Amino acid sequence: MPHDIATASAFLPPDDARALLDRRAAVRARVDAAARAAGRDPAGIILVAVSKYHPAASVAALVAAGQRDFGENYVQEALRKQAEVADMTGKAPSVVFSPEQGDGPRWHFIGHLQSNKAKDVVGRFALIHTVDSDALARKLDQRLAGMPAQGADGAPPVQDILLQVNIGDEAQKSGVDPDDLPALAEAVLALPRLRLLGLMCMPPIFDDGEASRPYFARLRELRDALAARVGLPLPHLSMGMSHDAEVAVAEGATIVRVGTDIFGRRPVRA
Ligand SMILES: *Cc1c(COP(=O)(O)O)cnc(C)c1O
């Protein structure tokens, strides 16, 4: 839309802004088409633009064009970018994922999270996708206990989270082992300040997106079994990246995390 390009061009040269918005629109169209093909409502699928290594100006351009959700992997880089984007756009981050609040960007933490970084992320990300241990969950909950109440109603702070599952049983990947998922979920549900909304996974990377399908199906089955066990809907499945987003949507993703196909190839890390 020309209007979007005009606003996005406040942050990037016009040709770069147009290319970025076109790529973002193309990804959204792919996700929407995959949803319709699966008989699902495209509005039920959140597209997280994964901005790791990319500059704040690119994020600001997308915020100006109406993109709401952004994903980051590294705590320091993310916090710096959040502040820059807020300065550039005049929109403060929205730190509650559900129910929707405000109109600021919703930042998603999607990288590996060490327990000693818990203090830096609580209350700063709308959704943390990568909780994978009891120790980390406890640290997050403890940290929230020390934070002031949020919003006008003085509600105690709550952090929305997903549990990351090591779906490919890969030694080098983070995520809870599927066998240990029920115990971890029960431990998390006993913590008053964490709100468990679902599961996240990153299958082994293949060139062919179809190769991810069995892993995505497995994550959905794990979610269904867990939801029945704990008696909660656990509505969200965060799965699918640039090369396999459509497959993930076909298998039930509610959140897809796309970097390269929106921002282009990642620059070498600064
Ligand atoms: C980087 C990253 C993505 C995005 O990957 P692309 O292939 O660039 O789309 C998605 N999820 C996680 C967890 C990531 O680290």
Side-chain angles (χ1 to χ4, degrees):
M1 283 178 281
H3 172 71
D4 284 350
I5 301 225
T7 25
S9 297
F11 306 106
L12 290 178
D15 286 350
D16 293 354
R18 186 172 294 105
L20 178 63
L21 267 54
D22 284 352
R23 285 195 302 264
R24 187 263 174 206
V27 171
R28 187 70 239 187
R30 276 166 54 195
V31 167
D32 291 357
R36 281 190 291 269
R40 302 180 55 200
D41 179 1
I45 298 161
I46 293 165
L47 172 60
V48 173
V50 176
S51 49
K52 62 170 176 260
Y53 303 177
H54 291 286
S58 298
V59 174
L62 285 176
V63 169
Q67 169 68 27
R68 188 84 201 278
D69 293 275
F70 296 89
E72 286 282 338
N73 292 59
Y74 305 99
V75 175
Q76 297 317 322
E77 178 188 350
L79 297 182
R80 188 177 357 103
K81 215 176 288 179
Q82 286 181 357
E84 288 170 5
V85 170
D87 273 356
M88 290 169 139
T89 62
K91 287 185 178 181
S94 200
V95 295
V96 175
F97 181 67
S98 168
E100 288 212 22
Q101 286 185 5
D103 70 342
R106 293 192 300 198
W107 293 88
H108 297 245
F109 192 81
I110 64 171
H112 176 61
L113 189 53
Q114 288 157 332
S115 295
N116 65 1
K117 293 277 174 66
K119 60 180 181 340
D120 300 323
V121 298
V122 286
R124 295 176 184 265
F125 291 85
L127 186 63
I128 298 175
H129 293 223
T130 49
V131 177
D132 64 356
S133 75
D134 196 11
L136 172 59
R138 279 173 196 285
K139 278 266 167 57
L140 292 169
D141 187 72
Q142 276 165 17
R143 184 69 188 182
L144 285 155
M147 288 174 54
Q150 287 169 343
D153 59 355
V158 167
Q159 176 68 60
D160 289 327
I161 65 155
L162 306 176
L163 296 180
Q164 180 178 6
V165 180
N166 186 356
I167 203 76
D169 195 20
E170 295 172 277
Q172 77 282 15
K173 278 238 177 100
S174 31
V176 62
D177 187 291
D179 291 339
D180 300 332
L181 176 62
L184 176 58
E186 279 165 9
V188 164
L189 290 170
L191 298 171
R193 299 168 197 90
L194 299 186
R195 184 159 49 203
L196 178 58
L197 294 181
L199 304 180
M200 176 270 204
C201 78
M202 204 158 46
I205 301 283
F206 295 98
D207 291 335
D208 174 15
E210 266 304 317
S212 298
R213 188 181 294 274
Y215 298 100
F216 293 152
R218 179 94 204 285
L219 193 73
R220 188 191 60 236
E221 288 159 14
L222 287 170
R223 187 275 310 273
D224 291 349
L226 185 61
R229 180 183 175 122
V230 301
L232 289 170
L234 307 180
H236 286 290
L237 288 174
S238 167
M239 54 191 198
M241 305 171 30
S242 290
H243 71 292
D244 56 12
E246 289 96 330
V247 178
V249 168
E251 294 298 333
T254 60
I255 302 175
V256 295
R257 312 176 308 264
V258 177
T260 307
D261 283 359
I262 293 178
F263 291 100
R265 278 185 51 201
R266 278 184 277 284
V268 176
R269 195 177 177 194

